[in-house]
Amino acid sequence: MLNFGSSPEPVFGPDRELLTRWIESMEGYGQSWFDDIGKDYFSQEYWYLFTITLVYHWRQTPLSVSEACDSMKTGSSKTRENRLKKLITEHFFIKIKNQTDLRRTYLEPTTEMLLGGRKHFSNSLGRAIQFLDDARLLASNPQPLLDGVLSDGEHVDKNYLLPWAEFLIGYTNDWNNTFSKRFHTEEYWYPFTYCLLACWRGQRLTTSEVCQCMRTGSGRTKEKRVSLAVSRGMLVKQKSNCDLRTTYILTSSVLEELLISHFGRTLNNLLSLTQGLLARQQEIRV
C-alpha cells in the first residue's frame, strides 16, 4: 500500500489553479461513488468496508469478518456488526468458512459486487489519469494505459485496480490524519473544500449554501457541523455588512494551510502511482 508519509519529489505546493482542478477531480470521484453505490451507503464507513474487501480479494488474501468490522473507523462493535449483516442480507458480501479452521470466517464480495466494484474503480482511475494528462503533468502519452484501464470493466487487469484502490484508501487516511480524525470526509469534505474554493475565487458562501453542499444529514445536523468546525477554528463566521441577517462562512488560515498540504501530498502520490502504471504498461507493450 502507498505510504503517504514518504512521498517522492516534487510535492505540489499552493498552486491554486492546479489544486483547484485536483479538488474538482476528487469531487467527481465522490459523485461517481454516490451514483454507483447510492445515498444509503454514501458514508466513509461503508466506503472503507467495500474498498478494503475488494483490495483483499484482489490480493487473494480474504478479509476475515473481524478485520472487516475493524476496517470501519467509527461505531460500536454492535453497530459495525449490524452494518455488515445488512450488506450480507442485501447480497453485497458472502461469508465463507475457512476449510482448515472452521472457527474462522472470511468475507468475500458477491459476483455482482465484484463486477460493480471493477467498473467503479476502472472508470474512476481512467478519469484520474485523464485529469493528469489534461493538467500536462505526465511525461508520456497515457492513451495506451487508458485503453487498458477503460476496457470492459469486467475484465480489466486487477493490477491496475489494486494500486488505485490502495491509493484511495491512502487518500482518505491522509484526510483523517490531517484533521486528527475529527472531520470525516462524508461530513466535512464538501463544506471545507467548497468554502476554500469560494474564498480563492473571491466569493463567500452563506451558512445556508454551506449546509446545502453537504450530502448527508438533516438541516439541523448540518448546522451543528458548521458550528463545530467554527468552534474548532476550521471555519470562520462573518456577518454581511449589507444585511446583518446574512452570515458568511469562510475558511480559516489554519484550514487553508491544512487543505493545501493534504491536496498537495495526495496529488503528488497520484502522479507517482500513474507514472508507475505507465512504466508497467510500457513493459507489457515491449
Side-chain angles (χ1 to χ4, degrees):
M1 185 173 294
L2 288 171
N3 181 354
F4 273 48
S6 58
S7 302
E9 294 294 336
V11 174
F12 297 99
D15 182 331
R16 290 188 178 185
E17 181 179 355
L18 179 58
L19 292 186
T20 294
R21 295 173 69 180
W22 174 222
I23 291 169
E24 291 172 343
S25 177
M26 288 310 295
E27 181 183 7
Y29 174 79
Q31 183 61 49
S32 71
W33 178 255
F34 185 87
D35 293 340
D36 291 341
I37 201 64
K39 184 177 181 180
D40 290 344
Y41 298 110
F42 190 73
S43 77
Q44 183 169 287
E45 314 318 316
Y46 283 120
W47 183 89
Y48 268 120
L49 180 58
F50 286 133
T51 305
I52 290 175
T53 301
L54 286 172
V55 163
Y56 274 71
H57 173 82
W58 288 328
R59 290 177 182 166
Q60 298 181 323
T61 56
L63 194 68
S64 70
V65 170
S66 62
E67 289 171 330
C69 289
D70 289 343
S71 73
M72 292 177 271
K73 303 299 181 180
T74 63
S76 66
S77 297
K78 186 65 175 178
T79 297
R80 298 183 192 203
E81 290 171 2
N82 287 337
R83 290 173 186 155
L84 191 54
K85 288 179 181 178
K86 179 180 180 181
L87 293 173
I88 292 172
T89 300
E90 298 191 7
H91 307 292
F92 285 96
F93 301 115
I94 55 175
K95 287 183 177 181
I96 299 176
K97 284 287 186 181
N98 185 320
Q99 295 305 308
T100 58
D101 184 354
L102 296 179
R103 295 170 299 176
R104 294 180 62 82
T105 305
Y106 295 111
L107 193 69
E108 284 276 29
T110 61
T111 300
E112 182 180 2
M113 176 63 195
L114 183 59
L115 177 59
R118 292 178 76 92
K119 289 182 176 178
H120 169 76
F121 286 111
S122 62
N123 290 335
S124 56
L125 174 57
R127 285 190 290 270
I129 295 169
Q130 191 62 62
F131 154 72
L132 291 176
D133 189 40
D134 292 342
R136 299 185 177 182
L137 295 176
L138 298 176
S140 57
N141 179 17
Q143 193 57 51
L145 176 59
L146 283 169
D147 291 341
V149 167
L150 296 177
S151 62
D152 182 358
E154 185 177 358
H155 302 104
V156 68
D157 190 340
K158 72 177 183 181
N159 289 313
Y160 296 132
L161 303 183
L162 177 57
W164 170 236
E166 290 177 333
F167 164 83
L168 289 169
I169 293 170
Y171 171 91
T172 307
N173 286 341
D174 188 272
W175 176 280
N176 289 334
N177 292 335
T178 296
F179 295 104
S180 301
K181 301 180 182 179
R182 293 180 176 178
F183 300 101
H184 286 183
T185 51
E186 79 273 12
E187 297 172 346
Y188 285 99
W189 193 94
Y190 288 98
F192 282 3
T193 59
Y194 273 45
C195 286
L196 177 70
L197 296 183
C199 289
W200 282 358
R201 292 163 179 159
Q203 302 168 348
R204 294 177 296 176
L205 299 181
T206 64
T207 302
S208 175
E209 290 171 331
V210 172
C211 289
Q212 288 173 11
C213 79
M214 299 183 208
R215 296 300 184 93
T216 63
S218 65
R220 182 62 176 167
T221 296
K222 294 176 181 180
E223 290 173 0
K224 286 183 177 180
R225 291 173 187 162
V226 172
S227 296
L228 178 63
V230 170
S231 69
R232 292 184 174 173
M234 296 292 106
L235 298 175
V236 177
K237 288 186 175 181
Q238 183 184 83
K239 284 288 186 181
S240 169
N241 293 327
C242 302
D243 184 356
L244 295 180
R245 295 172 299 178
T246 300
T247 300
Y248 295 110
I249 304 297
L250 312 177
T251 53
S252 68
S253 58
V254 171
L255 176 59
E256 181 175 13
E257 182 177 343
L258 289 173
L259 290 174
I260 288 173
S261 178
H262 164 72
F263 284 110
R265 278 192 305 272
T266 53
L267 177 54
N268 187 63
N269 278 277
L270 174 64
L271 182 57
S272 297
L273 165 68
T274 305
Q275 289 171 336
L277 294 178
L278 283 168
R280 180 179 179 276
Q281 179 68 22
Q282 290 170 357
E283 290 175 359
I284 293 174
R285 294 178 69 191
V286 171

